[in-house]
């Protein structure tokens, strides 16, 4: 098994805000759209996820951009007093509108380095609605899990049924003999953001407790 920590990262910490936040109890790596999508429910759930992370003394690990749901989840985490770790490839800084106000911001050389570092810093993974970047990241951590490269819980937030089609397709792969039930069991999905976050974080061995401030 290859542990995430074994490959060295040549990253540069480009910026760090004065860190007034408490040490986080756990880290949630969020994959989500660089756009906001058409339904207000997508933006609402991104804010809900960021707020929940901060209110339970968690830390957000994400792609470091300001666009779309990515920007919303980071802003909500920060607004609720939480730590935000952003990891962005050098070449995408302009396109993805780097969030310079991250608690920790890493500008890395390659997409591979970003994904590796995000995975390394995570205790759990959660995919919100998004596009092909989100799909790719979600499928990668799912495949890494089936290969035994990590054993971190993985969630798919099925806001307003956004991932119904993907889940049905995966289930049809089981029927077609290309996927097994045990592989499906490596991911958890649901529409209720707080219930899914609670489940993932507990599965990673943490007991997320709401902080009194801000509740
Ligand atoms: P999207 O879901 O397509 O809006 O993209 C969400 C995020 O995924 C953006 O920060 C993209 O840079 C990132 N992304 C795009 N392609 C990839 C990839 N191959 N691996 C990892 N992340 C990616």
């Amino acid at each position: 098994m290859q542990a995430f920590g074994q490959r060295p990262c040549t990253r540069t910490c480009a910026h760090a805000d004065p860190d007034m936040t408490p040490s986080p109890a756990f880290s949630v790596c969020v994959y989500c759209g660089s756009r906001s999508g058409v339904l207000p429910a997508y933006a609402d759930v991104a804010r809900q996820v960021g707020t929940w992370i901060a209110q339970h003394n968690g830390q957000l690990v994400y792609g470091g951009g300001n666009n779309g749901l990515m920007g919303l989840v980071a802003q909500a985490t920060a607004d609720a007093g939480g730590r935000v770790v952003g990891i962005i490839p050098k070449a995408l800084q302009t396109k993805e509108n780097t969030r310079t106000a991250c608690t920790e911001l890493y500008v890395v050389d390659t997409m591979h380095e970003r994904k590796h570092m995000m995975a390394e810093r995570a205790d759990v993974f959660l995919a919100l609605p998004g596009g092909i970047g989100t799909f790719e990241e979600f499928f990668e951590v799912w495949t890494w899990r089936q290969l035994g490269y990590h054993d971190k819980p993985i969630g798919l937030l099925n806001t307003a049924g956004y991932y119904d089609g993907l889940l049905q397709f995966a289930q049809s792969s089981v029927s077609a003999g290309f996927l097994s039930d045990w592989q499906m069991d490596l991911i958890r999905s649901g529409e209720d953001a707080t219930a899914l976050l609670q489940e993932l974080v507990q599965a990673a061995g943490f007991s997320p407790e709401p902080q009194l401030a801000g509740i």
Side-chain angles (χ1 to χ4, degrees), residues 25-190:
F26 55 85
S27 295
V28 179
C29 176
V30 171
Y31 303 128
C32 61
S34 55
R35 305 184 205 177
S36 297
V38 294
L39 297 184
Y42 304 141
D44 291 345
V45 87
R47 290 193 199 95
Q48 196 185 357
V49 165
T51 304
W52 188 95
I53 291 170
Q55 287 183 342
H56 291 77
N57 195 25
Q59 166 172 271
L60 171 71
V61 175
Y62 88 119
N66 263 322
N67 297 340
L69 299 190
M70 295 174 67
L72 292 176
V73 73
Q75 189 61 48
T77 305
D79 286 348
R83 301 188 89 254
V84 175
V85 178
I87 305 162
I88 193 161
K90 218 183 281 178
L92 292 182
Q93 282 200 90
T94 303
K95 184 167 183 269
E96 299 204 343
N97 192 10
T98 308
R99 180 183 169 86
T100 54
C102 289
T103 321
E104 294 174 50
L105 174 66
Y106 296 93
V107 180
V108 295
D109 288 333
T110 65
M111 181 62 89
H112 286 297
E113 208 175 339
R114 175 206 243 179
K115 293 197 292 184
H116 181 265
M117 194 175 170
M118 286 171 73
E120 188 184 40
R121 296 289 301 259
D123 293 306
V124 307
F125 302 101
L126 179 62
L128 273 56
I132 53 175
T134 304
F135 303 160
E136 200 273 348
E137 291 166 317
F138 167 74
F139 277 112
E140 183 167 70
V141 291
W142 189 9
T143 56
W144 283 353
R145 175 97 196 245
Q146 73 153 349
L147 295 170
Y149 286 7
H150 73 87
D151 60 359
K152 302 177 183 183
I154 303 168
L156 188 65
L157 195 49
N158 192 18
T159 306
Y162 179 72
Y163 284 118
D164 281 350
L166 187 149
L167 290 165
Q168 279 160 15
F169 176 72
Q171 204 54 56
S172 75
S173 286
V174 176
S175 309
F178 289 104
L179 261 183
S180 300
D181 287 332
W182 72 265
Q183 292 167 302
M184 290 298 294
D185 291 343
L186 298 178
I187 58 167
R188 297 154 197 259
S189 62

